Amino acid sequence: MTGIRTHISPPGLLFAVLGLAALLVPFMTLAANRIVAGDGIVAWRIAGPEITAPGVAAVAMGLAMGLVAGRTRLRFLGAVLGLTGLLWLLSRSAPVLLSQGGEYARVSPAAGFWFLLVIFMLLMADALAALKPGPFMRGIILVAFLFVLVFIFRSGLLSDLSVLQEFSGRRDAFFTEFVRHLGLSFGSLAAAAVIGFPLGILCHHRAALRSATLPVLSFLQTIPSLAMFGLMIPILGWVGNTVPGAQAIGIAGIGFAPAFLALLLYSLLPVVGNTVAGLASTPPAALEAACGMGMTRGQRLLRIELPLGLPIILTGLRIVLVQNIGLAVIAGLIGGGGFGTFVFQGLNQTATDLILLGALPTVVLALAAAILMDIVVELTRQTPEEAA
Amino acid sequence: MKIGLILRPALIALLLALVLRPEWFVPIFAPFAPEGGPVIYQRASMLSLSVSHLAIVALASAAATIVAVTLAILVTRPAGAAFRPLSRTITNMGQTFPPVAVLALAVPALGFGAGPTLVALFLYGLLPIFENAVTALTNLPRATMEAARGIGLSRWQCLMRVELPLALPVTLTGIRLSIVIALGTATIGSTVAARTLGEVIIAGLLTNNTAYVLQGGLIVGLFAVLIYDALVQLELYLLGRMGG
């Protein structure tokens, strides 16, 4: 501590300027029904002053607290205060706005809300990054965050919003597609691991196989997802029609099978590539020591190369998981289910809230998976150092 | 690579034939079309869809390259250093956003058409380019930088003549990643009414016409693979020139 000098944090200044600008943009949208485009309403006119004044004040205060450089906890609290203000404005104004609209009126958050949400999330991330939380701390933060999110949705605070009205009409379908989405992304990850690890180990030992496999896999990865999903249809349709018994286990041109296979093909490059890179990352000294101790090739692999390469191998799985959660959305186009079903239904009906119902959970799922896998990678990276 | 010498011209010829003379492929695609249904997509010419598709990708990637490289230069200067942790957070978190979701979220904000597709491609394309450019600009060989300062180059000259050329190969890798993602996302853009080759695939999916799906899928796939290959060759050429 070199005296009390209050600096202004440059990112905080950026957030404050952008945040104040976002307050001038419409905060909520009121539409006559779920299809038509609504009218945007700025934050201080969404309800009476008894609702808007505390909300806008909390947002402004949060932005101001983000300005102070070096005071990480204060900046973090500013983000929490700002987010609370946003939640207050959203939940309090929705019933007021709904009562002004007709019978089929829908209210949804507009650009101003989303901008402010992103700004406060970034402020929070910026403050947290300065705290340099360890893997356990980040795990706790992630769980707490998801818990708060679930609590807000369960509490019914936001149930007047249009996207949650879409949800309440499709509660069962939502959870079915959720499970389907998880099945597609985790299932293809598991299958890719089962095929990719042995292939990666083989590639590690045979240079010829490696130089033949990796370019093919990386070309597979470049094929646009829609084309890949589409091209699986005739192939699996043919398999389903010609191989006896294939249809009985669900292999057909459309549905789960082509989506699963397409995701599997995309997953192979990160799994195989990172397995090869992970095994190759073993320090030569460690290998020589292992040889000197008289370890066989299998022992070297299991006890030296795999444990040392584990962080890189797991990074491959992280890439695959995040990528598959996103790509599984495309499955909605070929009848494979998942959140993509809502996204593409919404796009067809120009019902934006239905699009959000599919897209927002996908984004949250991908982010949560990324943070979780980062934690796992970091934990595996620490253990060998401690053991060494 | 011997295979490349034969395979590359063959794939280019196949792609040109698919785009310019789709009617040649009627006998091949016919078994996949529904009985009595159309075999070749007729509502738009493959050439115009290809041009529109590539134009969207080129425009978005060019804009993303300019903005991302400028931002990367700014955060690697001493004055912009305060933004570096934030920019790292944004690139890490931003890249976990699925491209399809970015596209879908652009629709409520911007409506249907080529506009949201362009914006989604641009925003998403920024991240890999920015990440690679920052990595390249922060990992320059120290000796070279000291030599550049030693011979009296100004900061601007140092940036233009030493830093950017040295950072080019790694930055180009980012641009390649970004273009590959953009090609794929633009294909999905046809679900939000952008005119791209995805239109053919979507039409095939909606009418249960696998012939369309094959036709569109092959063209898009070939474009992606050939463009990726061309960019890899360009990177190798640049690396070779810098090494020699």
Side-chain angles (χ1 to χ4, degrees):
Chain A
M1 271 289 186
T2 54
I4 306 165
R5 290 191 306 169
T6 7
H7 286 291
I8 289 197
S9 141
L13 189 63
L14 180 71
F15 293 144
V17 171
L18 290 178
L20 289 178
L23 269 178
L24 304 176
V25 179
F27 189 83
M28 300 284 275
T29 309
L30 178 62
N33 59 50
R34 68 190 278 262
I35 306 295
V36 297
D39 299 315
I41 306 162
V42 285
W44 58 89
R45 296 174 72 174
I46 48 177
E50 73 283 0
I51 292 172
T52 55
V56 173
V59 168
M61 189 67 200
L63 289 174
M65 283 160 77
L67 279 173
V68 191
R71 305 289 292 276
T72 307
R73 291 219 174 79
L74 185 72
R75 300 185 73 213
F76 180 79
L77 283 179
V80 173
L81 182 65
L83 288 173
T84 317
L86 289 181
L87 182 64
W88 165 274
L89 284 173
L90 203 58
S91 61
R92 288 300 163 116
S93 69
V96 178
L97 286 172
L98 264 191
S99 65
Q100 293 166 8
E103 193 183 342
Y104 301 107
R106 292 290 189 113
V107 284
S108 15
F113 169 81
W114 295 115
F115 284 142
L116 283 165
L117 181 69
V118 170
I119 287 167
F120 282 118
M121 298 294 267
L122 286 178
L123 174 58
M124 190 178 261
D126 196 36
L128 281 178
L131 283 177
K132 293 198 175 57
F136 287 110
M137 196 60 205
R138 272 186 287 155
I140 292 170
I141 294 171
L142 176 67
V143 170
F145 199 79
L146 291 177
F147 186 77
V148 170
L149 209 58
V150 169
F151 175 76
I152 290 173
F153 285 111
R154 292 289 297 259
S155 68
L157 270 178
L158 300 176
S159 59
D160 285 324
L161 292 182
S162 191
V163 60
L164 285 165
Q165 292 190 353
E166 296 285 341
F167 167 71
S168 64
R170 292 181 175 74
R171 189 179 293 268
D172 292 334
F174 182 85
F175 288 109
T176 315
E177 300 303 356
F178 183 35
V179 171
R180 203 74 192 275
H181 204 100
L182 290 180
L184 274 175
S185 25
F186 282 87
S188 55
L189 172 77
V194 168
I195 300 172
F197 285 148
L199 191 58
I201 291 170
L202 278 179
C203 284
H204 173 60
H205 289 302
R206 284 171 229 272
L209 183 66
R210 182 165 65 231
S211 58
T213 313
L214 289 182
V216 172
L217 291 181
S218 63
F219 273 117
L220 274 181
Q221 189 101 15
T222 56
I223 297 175
S225 46
L226 187 58
M228 181 78 106
F229 279 73
L231 292 174
M232 291 301 119
I233 294 178
I235 296 173
L236 283 185
W238 180 80
V239 171
N241 287 332
T242 46
V243 179
Q247 256 169 2
I249 56 167
I251 294 180
I254 56 165
F256 191 83
F260 188 85
L261 186 59
L263 290 179
L264 172 61
L265 290 178
Y266 278 126
S267 312
L268 283 177
L269 176 69
V271 175
V272 176
N274 279 46
T275 306
V276 171
L279 294 179
S281 72
T282 320
L287 274 183
E288 271 167 38
C291 286
M293 286 166 67
M295 281 194 185
T296 64
R297 211 159 130 180
Q299 283 174 326
R300 282 207 305 271
L301 181 71
L302 279 179
R303 299 215 203 141
I304 311 284
E305 291 172 309
L306 273 180
L308 285 177
L310 197 59
I312 298 180
I313 298 174
L314 284 174
T315 307
L317 292 187
R318 175 213 192 266
I319 297 170
V320 169
L321 187 57
V322 172
Q323 172 185 289
N324 282 5
I325 288 173
L327 284 175
V329 172
I330 316 280
L333 272 176
I334 57 167
F339 286 132
T341 317
F342 299 128
V343 173
F344 293 112
Q345 263 177 25
L347 287 173
N348 275 337
Q349 304 173 3
T350 66
T352 47
D353 297 301
L354 197 50
I355 302 175
L356 291 180
L357 185 64
L360 290 178
T362 313
V363 170
V364 174
L365 198 60
L367 272 174
I371 296 172
L372 194 69
M373 287 300 287
D374 280 340
I375 294 173
V376 173
V377 169
E378 205 173 307
L379 286 177
T380 54
R381 191 165 285 156
Q382 279 176 349
T383 29
E385 278 165 25
E386 282 161 11
Chain B
M1 284 273 276
K2 229 176 189 169
I3 317 167
L5 283 179
I6 311 161
L7 206 56
R8 210 169 282 137
L11 289 181
I12 293 175
L14 178 63
L15 177 62
L16 285 177
L18 275 164
V19 171
L20 298 173
R21 292 279 177 275
E23 63 276 6
W24 289 356
F25 294 86
V26 170
I28 300 168
F29 291 150
F32 297 99
E35 258 175 73
V39 178
I40 297 298
Y41 191 72
Q42 301 287 1
R43 259 173 283 169
S45 83
M46 289 302 126
L47 183 62
S48 75
L49 287 179
S50 304
V51 169
S52 163
H53 192 126
L54 295 181
I56 290 177
V57 172
L59 203 61
S61 300
T65 304
I66 294 170
V67 175
V69 171
T70 312
L71 287 176
I73 292 172
L74 288 179
V75 302
T76 48
R77 301 307 102 183
F83 287 97
R84 218 180 296 168
L86 176 67
S87 68
R88 196 175 302 134
T89 311
I90 295 178
T91 39
N92 284 346
M93 293 289 114
Q95 290 190 66
T96 63
F97 271 61
V100 198
V102 177
L103 187 66
L105 292 175
V107 172
L110 299 158
F112 285 80
T117 309
L118 263 177
V119 172
L121 294 190
F122 164 73
L123 285 178
Y124 205 83
L126 286 174
L127 304 174
I129 304 177
F130 177 80
E131 189 176 30
N132 279 39
V134 170
T135 310
L137 286 171
T138 41
N139 291 320
L140 294 170
R142 182 164 297 191
T144 317
M145 296 303 298
E146 272 166 21
R149 234 165 282 143
I151 60 170
L153 290 185
S154 71
R155 269 177 162 185
W156 175 254
Q157 284 171 324
C158 191
L159 175 70
M160 296 311 279
R161 294 207 212 148
V162 182
E163 293 180 55
L164 284 183
L166 280 177
L168 188 61
V170 178
T171 311
L172 210 56
T173 308
I175 297 176
R176 169 163 56 93
L177 286 175
S178 164
I179 289 180
V180 166
I181 297 171
L183 275 167
T185 314
T187 318
I188 308 162
S190 60
T191 59
V192 303
R195 263 177 59 84
T196 70
L197 287 162
E199 193 181 307
V200 186
I201 305 176
I202 300 282
L205 292 174
L206 291 178
T207 58
N208 270 328
N209 187 340
T210 310
Y212 284 180
V213 175
L214 262 180
Q215 192 191 356
L218 277 177
I219 296 180
V220 171
L222 282 173
F223 264 125
V225 166
L226 287 171
I227 290 174
Y228 172 86
D229 179 58
L231 291 167
V232 170
Q233 298 304 322
L234 180 65
E235 276 163 53
L236 289 178
Y237 167 76
L238 282 175
L239 271 180
R241 220 179 53 165
M242 284 172 69

PDB file of all heavy atoms in Angstrom, chain B residues 62-72 122 126 130:
ATOM      1  N   ALA B  62     -12.873  -9.721 -43.230  1.00  0.00           N
ATOM      2  CA  ALA B  62     -12.008  -8.564 -43.447  1.00  0.00           C
ATOM      3  C   ALA B  62     -12.225  -7.541 -42.333  1.00  0.00           C
ATOM      4  O   ALA B  62     -11.264  -7.047 -41.736  1.00  0.00           O
ATOM      5  CB  ALA B  62     -12.291  -7.943 -44.808  1.00  0.00           C
ATOM      6  N   ALA B  63     -13.493  -7.262 -42.031  1.00  0.00           N
ATOM      7  CA  ALA B  63     -13.788  -6.297 -40.971  1.00  0.00           C
ATOM      8  C   ALA B  63     -13.254  -6.808 -39.636  1.00  0.00           C
ATOM      9  O   ALA B  63     -12.642  -6.055 -38.867  1.00  0.00           O
ATOM     10  CB  ALA B  63     -15.285  -6.054 -40.889  1.00  0.00           C
ATOM     11  N   ALA B  64     -13.459  -8.114 -39.368  1.00  0.00           N
ATOM     12  CA  ALA B  64     -12.993  -8.684 -38.101  1.00  0.00           C
ATOM     13  C   ALA B  64     -11.480  -8.599 -38.004  1.00  0.00           C
ATOM     14  O   ALA B  64     -10.927  -8.300 -36.939  1.00  0.00           O
ATOM     15  CB  ALA B  64     -13.453 -10.136 -37.977  1.00  0.00           C
ATOM     16  N   THR B  65     -10.779  -8.838 -39.123  1.00  0.00           N
ATOM     17  CA  THR B  65      -9.314  -8.785 -39.113  1.00  0.00           C
ATOM     18  C   THR B  65      -8.838  -7.379 -38.769  1.00  0.00           C
ATOM     19  O   THR B  65      -7.983  -7.200 -37.890  1.00  0.00           O
ATOM     20  CB  THR B  65      -8.761  -9.200 -40.484  1.00  0.00           C
ATOM     21  OG1 THR B  65      -9.263 -10.483 -40.798  1.00  0.00           O
ATOM     22  CG2 THR B  65      -7.248  -9.239 -40.468  1.00  0.00           C
ATOM     23  N   ILE B  66      -9.420  -6.375 -39.436  1.00  0.00           N
ATOM     24  CA  ILE B  66      -8.977  -4.993 -39.203  1.00  0.00           C
ATOM     25  C   ILE B  66      -9.203  -4.605 -37.745  1.00  0.00           C
ATOM     26  O   ILE B  66      -8.289  -4.115 -37.064  1.00  0.00           O
ATOM     27  CB  ILE B  66      -9.734  -4.033 -40.146  1.00  0.00           C
ATOM     28  CG1 ILE B  66      -9.332  -4.318 -41.596  1.00  0.00           C
ATOM     29  CG2 ILE B  66      -9.440  -2.583 -39.787  1.00  0.00           C
ATOM     30  CD1 ILE B  66     -10.182  -3.613 -42.613  1.00  0.00           C
ATOM     31  N   VAL B  67     -10.424  -4.857 -37.252  1.00  0.00           N
ATOM     32  CA  VAL B  67     -10.743  -4.448 -35.884  1.00  0.00           C
ATOM     33  C   VAL B  67      -9.916  -5.237 -34.865  1.00  0.00           C
ATOM     34  O   VAL B  67      -9.351  -4.661 -33.928  1.00  0.00           O
ATOM     35  CB  VAL B  67     -12.253  -4.607 -35.615  1.00  0.00           C
ATOM     36  CG1 VAL B  67     -12.571  -4.308 -34.170  1.00  0.00           C
ATOM     37  CG2 VAL B  67     -13.042  -3.681 -36.528  1.00  0.00           C
ATOM     38  N   ALA B  68      -9.821  -6.550 -35.068  1.00  0.00           N
ATOM     39  CA  ALA B  68      -9.131  -7.395 -34.090  1.00  0.00           C
ATOM     40  C   ALA B  68      -7.643  -7.058 -34.027  1.00  0.00           C
ATOM     41  O   ALA B  68      -7.066  -6.978 -32.941  1.00  0.00           O
ATOM     42  CB  ALA B  68      -9.329  -8.866 -34.432  1.00  0.00           C
ATOM     43  N   VAL B  69      -7.016  -6.844 -35.185  1.00  0.00           N
ATOM     44  CA  VAL B  69      -5.582  -6.534 -35.178  1.00  0.00           C
ATOM     45  C   VAL B  69      -5.354  -5.164 -34.551  1.00  0.00           C
ATOM     46  O   VAL B  69      -4.423  -4.985 -33.750  1.00  0.00           O
ATOM     47  CB  VAL B  69      -5.004  -6.624 -36.604  1.00  0.00           C
ATOM     48  CG1 VAL B  69      -3.574  -6.103 -36.639  1.00  0.00           C
ATOM     49  CG2 VAL B  69      -5.036  -8.057 -37.103  1.00  0.00           C
ATOM     50  N   THR B  70      -6.240  -4.191 -34.854  1.00  0.00           N
ATOM     51  CA  THR B  70      -6.111  -2.867 -34.226  1.00  0.00           C
ATOM     52  C   THR B  70      -6.215  -2.988 -32.708  1.00  0.00           C
ATOM     53  O   THR B  70      -5.392  -2.429 -31.970  1.00  0.00           O
ATOM     54  CB  THR B  70      -7.229  -1.931 -34.732  1.00  0.00           C
ATOM     55  OG1 THR B  70      -7.278  -2.033 -36.159  1.00  0.00           O
ATOM     56  CG2 THR B  70      -6.963  -0.502 -34.344  1.00  0.00           C
ATOM     57  N   LEU B  71      -7.221  -3.731 -32.237  1.00  0.00           N
ATOM     58  CA  LEU B  71      -7.390  -3.898 -30.786  1.00  0.00           C
ATOM     59  C   LEU B  71      -6.179  -4.607 -30.177  1.00  0.00           C
ATOM     60  O   LEU B  71      -5.716  -4.252 -29.094  1.00  0.00           O
ATOM     61  CB  LEU B  71      -8.660  -4.692 -30.486  1.00  0.00           C
ATOM     62  CG  LEU B  71      -9.986  -3.952 -30.709  1.00  0.00           C
ATOM     63  CD1 LEU B  71     -11.161  -4.894 -30.477  1.00  0.00           C
ATOM     64  CD2 LEU B  71     -10.093  -2.760 -29.774  1.00  0.00           C
ATOM     65  N   ALA B  72      -5.672  -5.601 -30.908  1.00  0.00           N
ATOM     66  CA  ALA B  72      -4.512  -6.335 -30.397  1.00  0.00           C
ATOM     67  C   ALA B  72      -3.310  -5.417 -30.279  1.00  0.00           C
ATOM     68  O   ALA B  72      -2.551  -5.486 -29.307  1.00  0.00           O
ATOM     69  CB  ALA B  72      -4.198  -7.513 -31.322  1.00  0.00           C
ATOM     70  N   PHE B 122     -18.938 -11.367 -37.851  1.00  0.00           N
ATOM     71  CA  PHE B 122     -17.920 -10.374 -37.501  1.00  0.00           C
ATOM     72  C   PHE B 122     -17.527 -10.514 -36.034  1.00  0.00           C
ATOM     73  O   PHE B 122     -16.352 -10.642 -35.701  1.00  0.00           O
ATOM     74  CB  PHE B 122     -18.457  -8.974 -37.804  1.00  0.00           C
ATOM     75  CG  PHE B 122     -17.681  -7.868 -37.152  1.00  0.00           C
ATOM     76  CD1 PHE B 122     -16.431  -7.511 -37.618  1.00  0.00           C
ATOM     77  CD2 PHE B 122     -18.204  -7.188 -36.066  1.00  0.00           C
ATOM     78  CE1 PHE B 122     -15.710  -6.496 -37.015  1.00  0.00           C
ATOM     79  CE2 PHE B 122     -17.493  -6.178 -35.459  1.00  0.00           C
ATOM     80  CZ  PHE B 122     -16.240  -5.833 -35.927  1.00  0.00           C
ATOM     81  N   LEU B 126     -13.843 -11.995 -34.559  1.00  0.00           N
ATOM     82  CA  LEU B 126     -12.862 -11.163 -33.860  1.00  0.00           C
ATOM     83  C   LEU B 126     -11.980 -11.996 -32.930  1.00  0.00           C
ATOM     84  O   LEU B 126     -10.779 -11.773 -32.837  1.00  0.00           O
ATOM     85  CB  LEU B 126     -13.580 -10.116 -33.000  1.00  0.00           C
ATOM     86  CG  LEU B 126     -14.236  -8.930 -33.674  1.00  0.00           C
ATOM     87  CD1 LEU B 126     -15.006  -8.128 -32.635  1.00  0.00           C
ATOM     88  CD2 LEU B 126     -13.182  -8.049 -34.315  1.00  0.00           C
ATOM     89  N   PHE B 130      -7.966 -11.880 -32.664  1.00  0.00           N
ATOM     90  CA  PHE B 130      -7.442 -11.069 -31.571  1.00  0.00           C
ATOM     91  C   PHE B 130      -6.517 -11.897 -30.684  1.00  0.00           C
ATOM     92  O   PHE B 130      -5.404 -11.485 -30.359  1.00  0.00           O
ATOM     93  CB  PHE B 130      -8.617 -10.507 -30.760  1.00  0.00           C
ATOM     94  CG  PHE B 130      -8.206  -9.707 -29.568  1.00  0.00           C
ATOM     95  CD1 PHE B 130      -7.802  -8.397 -29.716  1.00  0.00           C
ATOM     96  CD2 PHE B 130      -8.225 -10.260 -28.302  1.00  0.00           C
ATOM     97  CE1 PHE B 130      -7.416  -7.660 -28.607  1.00  0.00           C
ATOM     98  CE2 PHE B 130      -7.844  -9.525 -27.198  1.00  0.00           C
ATOM     99  CZ  PHE B 130      -7.444  -8.216 -27.353  1.00  0.00           C
TER     100      PHE B 130
END
